[in-house]
Amino acid sequence: MSERTATRGTATLPARVTTPLLTLITQQSLDEDYETVARRRSVVVDPQAGTAPGDYAHVARRAGGVTGRVGRTSLAIALLFGLLIGVAVVQNSRNAPVRNATREELVTRINERHTQLATYQSRIATLRDDNGKLSSSYADLGSQLRATTSSVNALGEVTGFRQVSDAGLRIVVKDADGSSSGEVRDSDLNNLVNALWQSGASAISINGQRVTALSQPRNSGSVVRINDVSLSSPYVIHALGKPSDLQSRVFDTTSGAEFLSVVQQFGMPLSVQNVSDLTAPAAPNALLSLPYATTGDAADSIQEEQP
Amino acid sequence: MIAALGLVVGIVLGLIFRPEVPVGLQPYLPIAIVAALDAVFGALRAYLDGIFDDKVFVISFLSNVVIAAGIVWLGDKLGVGGQLSTGIVVVLGIRIFSNVAAIRRHLFHA
């Protein structure tokens, strides 16, 4: 059944339909036009000539060299073909370095970027480590700063370089009227201050001038000076501390008794009051720079050790 | 002989003057050369067969070049330029080989 169909198919269909493509291409590799033209010529020259393919050659030759001649147009085409090849070669060789260079350049660039990226990444890791260390040291410093600040504040309250407010005693003493010997002198105020310290005062100020370890009431002529500031009568002394304790003890001490006897002897007006809210201002910062001692460093101590 | 001379002169002219091919035409130059090569080998075979014809050669050369380049151009427009040029190279390559085989039989009688 199928064989019969195939036989009928081959019988009816033309050869160039049934021939496989590759075979067809191989068979018709020569342009059919050459054969057609040759056949037409041979028919013109000799109508009795054979028609089988491949016979045209001798037919054509018999026709007297009409074919097989290379004309000027063919020469022009050959020239054109040569030109085409030359141009293609030139163009290709012109483009080749560009293509190769571009590729190599890209590869180089990629490698460079990879290296750069690795560098950056390691740098990021390093910086992150550093960041961690620095932030932990920052936290340490912060807690250190808080501790130092609170200790500075505590020390400032004790040493007198920070304003404090508390309950306490307000003592006002004035120069006695009349003779100059009735004026309050530095020794009187010193006695009073010492008596107050002994009675447990935490901070003392005279006329708004804080009494510190470095400040002492001193007479300059007839004027009493403290913290390089001149004072004048009436002298208002703020002594911070527990008022009842201060008041009961201050005139029992030796220096307190001495002060009291001077006051009574010259008739200086004296008043002592318990006050629930007193303020002792901070001492001037000028006092903080010590007049004789300077901060040294390791080099100074080495120099001193090796004279 | 005179055709071979023309070919050589053409190549030399191309190498000397180094004409710049427009960028748009550059992809079609190689395929045009393959098509031209097919026409040239066909012509050589026809010459050896003794049925060479000037007019047929010119027409086959020009039409081969134009059609091959045109097909690739169309393929480029459709996005299958690479495949079409492969197909053209395969077909023309087979033709060139079989023509060269025929030429060889003529020259060496083998």
Side-chain angles (χ1 to χ4, degrees):
Chain A
M1 179 71 178
S2 63
E3 274 177 20
R4 215 184 304 160
T5 320
T7 320
R8 196 165 50 202
T10 45
T12 49
L13 291 173
R16 63 192 190 94
V17 177
T18 52
T19 319
L21 182 64
L22 286 180
T23 318
L24 195 71
I25 293 171
T26 317
Q27 277 176 1
Q28 300 184 346
S29 54
L30 187 66
D31 264 326
E32 283 179 8
D33 293 346
Y34 288 116
E35 287 179 2
T36 314
V37 170
R39 190 191 300 139
R40 202 182 296 148
R41 284 215 183 97
S42 74
V43 167
V44 170
V45 172
D46 184 3
Q48 304 302 315
T51 48
D55 283 354
Y56 310 113
H58 76 267
V59 170
R61 278 189 209 103
R62 257 194 290 147
V66 182
T67 57
R69 186 173 53 84
V70 179
R72 271 193 209 139
T73 34
S74 294
L75 186 66
I77 290 296
L79 200 74
L80 181 67
F81 181 53
L83 200 65
L84 217 57
I85 291 175
V87 167
V89 167
V90 167
Q91 194 67 40
N92 221 26
S93 63
R94 193 182 287 159
N95 286 350
V98 174
R99 270 199 302 269
N100 293 343
T102 312
R103 193 174 170 280
E104 277 164 22
E105 201 183 302
L106 280 175
V107 169
T108 323
R109 218 180 286 171
I110 287 169
N111 287 339
E112 272 174 16
R113 289 282 192 273
H114 272 308
T115 324
Q116 215 171 350
L117 184 67
T119 318
Y120 280 143
Q121 266 163 353
S122 72
R123 202 169 150 217
I124 285 172
T126 318
L127 285 175
R128 209 170 274 161
D129 275 6
D130 288 358
N131 230 7
K133 282 177 199 157
L134 284 175
S135 60
S136 79
S137 90
Y138 173 71
D140 285 355
L141 279 176
S143 63
Q144 217 171 316
L145 177 68
R146 277 193 295 279
T148 310
T149 309
S150 73
S151 87
V152 162
N153 289 345
L155 283 172
E157 284 172 19
V158 174
T159 55
F161 290 96
R162 188 178 156 79
Q163 178 177 313
V164 283
S165 298
D166 199 2
L169 227 57
R170 182 194 280 145
I171 301 170
V172 181
V173 61
K174 291 177 189 166
D175 291 343
D177 295 333
S179 68
S180 63
S181 58
E183 290 176 354
V184 178
R185 299 187 60 82
D186 55 356
S187 55
D188 306 331
L189 290 176
N190 273 336
N191 279 335
L192 179 59
V193 167
N194 284 342
L196 286 168
W197 286 135
Q198 281 175 2
S199 324
S202 63
I204 300 170
S205 72
I206 304 173
N207 283 12
Q209 288 300 316
R210 186 74 171 265
V211 180
T212 71
L214 295 171
S215 46
Q216 190 187 11
R218 278 197 175 282
N219 259 67
S220 172
S222 63
V223 181
V224 181
R225 290 171 66 84
I226 186 169
N227 294 352
D228 284 336
V229 176
S230 300
L231 306 178
S232 58
S233 177
Y235 302 95
V236 181
I237 295 111
H238 289 179
L240 275 60
K242 204 173 171 188
S244 54
D245 284 3
L246 285 174
Q247 198 165 18
S248 61
R249 288 179 197 165
V250 67
F251 298 117
D252 289 346
T253 60
T254 322
S255 43
E258 212 171 303
F259 168 76
L260 200 60
S261 72
V262 169
V263 165
Q264 283 165 352
Q265 187 185 335
F266 292 100
M268 299 167 182
L270 173 72
S271 75
V272 179
Q273 277 180 294
N274 286 355
V275 181
S276 61
D277 186 24
L278 275 181
T279 298
N285 280 332
L287 286 181
L288 275 174
S289 54
L290 299 177
Y292 299 115
T294 54
T295 47
D297 53 14
D300 293 340
S301 65
I302 289 168
Q303 276 179 346
E304 280 167 24
E305 279 169 18
Q306 299 170 337
Chain B
M1 198 62 207
I2 196 162
L5 201 69
L7 179 70
V8 171
V9 169
I11 292 175
V12 170
L13 283 180
L15 291 179
I16 289 173
F17 290 109
R18 307 172 79 92
E20 186 76 38
V21 181
V23 178
L25 289 181
Q26 272 180 19
Y28 311 114
L29 193 58
I31 212 78
I33 286 175
V34 173
L37 207 59
D38 171 61
V40 166
F41 278 115
L44 194 56
R45 182 187 172 181
Y47 180 77
L48 292 173
D49 279 350
I51 53 170
F52 178 77
D53 187 86
D54 226 17
K55 203 156 73 176
V56 173
F57 172 54
V58 171
I59 289 169
S60 78
F61 183 94
L62 292 180
S63 69
N64 261 17
V65 168
V66 168
I67 289 170
I71 287 173
V72 174
W73 174 80
L74 188 67
D76 274 344
K77 294 291 160 213
L78 298 175
V80 289
Q83 290 90 323
L84 276 186
S85 48
T86 307
I88 287 170
V89 167
V90 167
V91 170
L92 294 182
I94 291 169
R95 280 170 60 117
I96 288 169
F97 269 102
S98 57
N99 279 338
V100 168
I103 292 165
R104 198 182 57 213
R105 278 196 291 276
H106 267 292
L107 291 180
F108 303 111
H109 305 289

